[in-house]
Amino acid sequence: MGLLEFNKLPINTLVGADWQTFRDITNGQEIDPAYRGKYRLTKAVCRLLSTLKPLQDSRYRKLLADKPLEHDPVFILGHWRSGTTFVHNVFSCDKHFGYNTTYQTVFPHLMMWGQPFFKKNMSWLMPDKRPTDNMELAVDLPQEEEFALTNMGPYTYYNFWFLPRKQQEYADKYLLFNDIMEEELQVFRDTFLKLIKISLWNTKGTQFLSKNPPHTGRVKELVKMFPNAKFIYLMRNPYTVFESTRSFFTNTIQPLKLQDVSVEEMEQNILSIYTKLYHKYEADKKFVPEGNLIDVKFEDFEADAMGMTEHIYRTLDIPGFTEARADIEKYVGGKKGYKKNKYQYDERTVRLVQDNWDFALRDWGYQL
């Protein structure tokens, strides 16, 4: 149990941003009165920690900047709450994979210098469970990289956690890349490549394993960056996804936000952005070379994690399953008693999903 409760954190994750990124994200934005104390404290800590960034930049230039990737990444895609975390944890048992850690999501500029000190303090303070689903939290566990990208540059979708009233704008520009400028896109490319190299250095992996729901809207760009990347796309019952996403967003946003947003607006954003993300993926998956993409129902993976993992390895021609089998079996076996949240779909939820996401119910064959 960490010293601090997740929903009572006195600062938000922007403490780990570099100073320029913090300013680019927050300058000119409306900070609601209730969060101005959190904003000021986050700003002060960010300003202080940013003075250490040049130390990492120097090491990165010396050790990693000119070093090419050995392999293109493996991307685990899917809308939030589609089972991406479990699949990510399973695949990360394979030691040839490298990944972004929970510590790195908050402090991406304190990876190659000072990590032992800051990681120890973060471990002492942070909760040991996610508030929404009781999944384990620990500084070295694999984590999605969007928070790290947010602290490394201003052109990412997760700015909405801090400024939720701009969620639709951030979605169109930085989730779907519809309205993004070329200069912004180049910053994203450069920043993401840097994150990958540091992640591999940190975890001693040879191939980057990404679990990042926002990448579901960026498939076309990711293929341009990594022509032989592999993609695992997860589908899940839309009724469950809606209930779980609403709960996840409502809880996760509490310690992060700097302005209020109504539950109704957040709910409408979830419904709208799911639709946009679904159709963007469907339009862009044709750019993935044949043999480099597999669509998986999470319910099938959950029912037979070992069998489905081996099937994914074979289908995508990913090396290393034989060597990783024992570690994967140990992890999967340890999760057999894990109790998931159970969702009861009320009439309103059923109506909202059927009215807004009927295409997913139909295309994937889900029903109540």
Side-chain angles (χ1 to χ4, degrees):
M1 183 70 178
L3 185 65
L4 298 176
E5 294 181 42
F6 187 80
N7 63 351
K8 295 181 180 178
L9 294 175
I11 53 179
N12 69 26
T13 54
L14 279 174
V15 291
D18 61 272
W19 182 238
Q20 186 61 53
T21 294
F22 182 92
R23 294 182 64 191
D24 286 346
I25 292 173
T26 60
N27 272 6
Q29 303 299 331
E30 184 177 1
I31 310 298
D32 287 353
Y35 309 107
R36 287 174 187 164
K38 175 175 288 192
Y39 166 75
R40 285 191 290 267
L41 182 56
T42 301
K43 180 179 180 180
V45 177
C46 173
R47 183 66 163 150
L48 178 63
L49 294 179
S50 287
T51 62
L52 302 175
K53 180 177 179 288
L55 297 170
Q56 171 160 299
D57 290 345
S58 176
R59 292 204 71 191
Y60 176 78
R61 286 192 298 269
K62 185 181 299 184
L63 298 177
L64 300 176
D66 297 326
K67 186 177 180 180
L69 297 182
E70 293 183 45
H71 307 284
D72 283 350
V74 173
F75 291 97
I76 299 169
L77 307 177
H79 191 276
W80 295 263
R81 316 308 296 156
S82 292
T84 54
T85 296
F86 181 56
V87 176
H88 193 213
N89 288 345
V90 169
F91 275 73
S92 68
C93 294
D94 183 342
K95 293 180 176 59
H96 102 273
F97 283 125
Y99 45 80
N100 179 90
T101 66
T102 300
Y103 170 83
Q104 189 177 0
T105 62
V106 183
F107 299 112
H109 303 295
L110 296 172
M111 295 295 297
M112 302 181 76
W113 187 92
Q115 182 176 166
F117 172 79
F118 291 104
K119 188 163 65 176
K120 182 178 180 180
N121 283 276
M122 179 176 171
S123 180
W124 178 59
L125 291 170
M126 68 181 285
D128 58 4
K129 300 285 186 183
R130 293 202 310 199
T132 49
D133 54 12
N134 291 317
M135 287 289 284
E136 184 182 4
L137 277 177
V139 287
D140 288 320
L141 286 178
Q143 188 59 262
E144 66 184 76
E145 60 263 24
E146 195 75 6
F147 275 115
L149 290 170
T150 299
N151 279 353
M152 297 172 74
Y155 309 128
T156 61
Y157 174 55
Y158 275 7
N159 293 344
F160 91 85
W161 290 114
F162 318 118
L163 304 165
R165 293 200 285 267
K166 299 185 69 175
Q167 185 173 1
Q168 288 287 351
E169 177 185 333
Y170 290 138
D172 290 336
K173 202 167 189 179
Y174 303 135
L175 175 67
L176 307 174
F177 285 168
N178 287 337
D179 304 319
I180 194 170
M181 295 185 292
E182 179 57 33
E183 313 89 83
E184 295 174 329
L185 194 53
Q186 189 57 51
V187 170
F188 173 85
R189 296 185 192 110
D190 294 342
T191 303
F192 187 33
L193 187 59
K194 182 177 183 179
L195 179 144
I196 289 174
K197 290 182 178 182
I198 293 175
S199 298
L200 292 174
W201 172 87
N202 181 56
T203 55
K204 299 178 174 59
T206 58
Q207 185 172 26
F208 185 67
L209 177 67
S210 166
K211 187 277 291 197
N212 200 48
H215 286 334
T216 308
R218 304 165 180 161
V219 170
K220 183 179 179 180
E221 184 60 36
L222 294 174
V223 172
K224 288 180 183 177
M225 293 179 66
F226 310 107
N228 197 39
K230 312 293 184 178
F231 295 89
I232 304 163
Y233 177 66
L234 293 175
M235 303 165 282
R236 193 180 188 184
N237 187 322
Y239 296 107
T240 300
V241 168
F242 177 73
E243 287 280 13
S244 188
T245 302
R246 181 169 56 186
S247 173
F248 173 63
F249 279 22
T250 300
N251 284 281
T252 302
I253 204 169
Q254 298 308 318
L256 304 177
K257 64 183 180 178
L258 298 173
Q259 55 184 216
D260 283 318
V261 63
S262 69
V263 173
E264 292 75 20
E265 184 176 352
M266 182 179 293
E267 196 173 71
Q268 286 304 309
N269 287 342
I270 292 169
L271 292 167
S272 169
I273 291 168
Y274 178 102
T275 300
K276 293 178 180 180
L277 196 62
Y278 177 97
H279 291 300
K280 184 66 158 51
Y281 169 77
E282 289 296 322
D284 286 356
K285 67 180 183 181
K286 64 177 178 288
F287 295 105
V288 180
E290 186 175 354
N292 285 1
L293 168 67
I294 184 170
D295 291 347
V296 176
K297 279 191 173 182
F298 178 64
E299 292 84 358
D300 295 338
F301 189 93
E302 192 175 36
D304 181 16
M306 282 304 303
M308 286 300 298
T309 298
E310 182 172 11
H311 173 63
I312 293 168
Y313 267 81
R314 306 299 182 212
T315 300
L316 297 181
D317 196 24
I318 299 171
F321 179 77
T322 301
E323 295 80 358
R325 178 190 288 273
D327 289 331
I328 295 173
E329 285 180 336
K330 182 179 178 181
Y331 177 80
V332 170
K335 292 298 176 183
K336 287 185 177 177
Y338 171 70
K339 294 183 179 180
K340 300 186 307 174
N341 291 336
K342 293 185 180 295
Y343 295 98
Q344 299 293 326
Y345 311 129
D346 59 30
E347 291 184 13
R348 181 173 178 275
T349 292
V350 171
R351 186 175 69 255
L352 284 171
V353 172
Q354 291 178 345
D355 288 349
N356 291 275
W357 297 351
D358 61 307
F359 51 86
L361 294 168
R362 181 182 63 251
D363 294 348
W364 295 342
Y366 284 104
Q367 54 188 341
L368 285 175

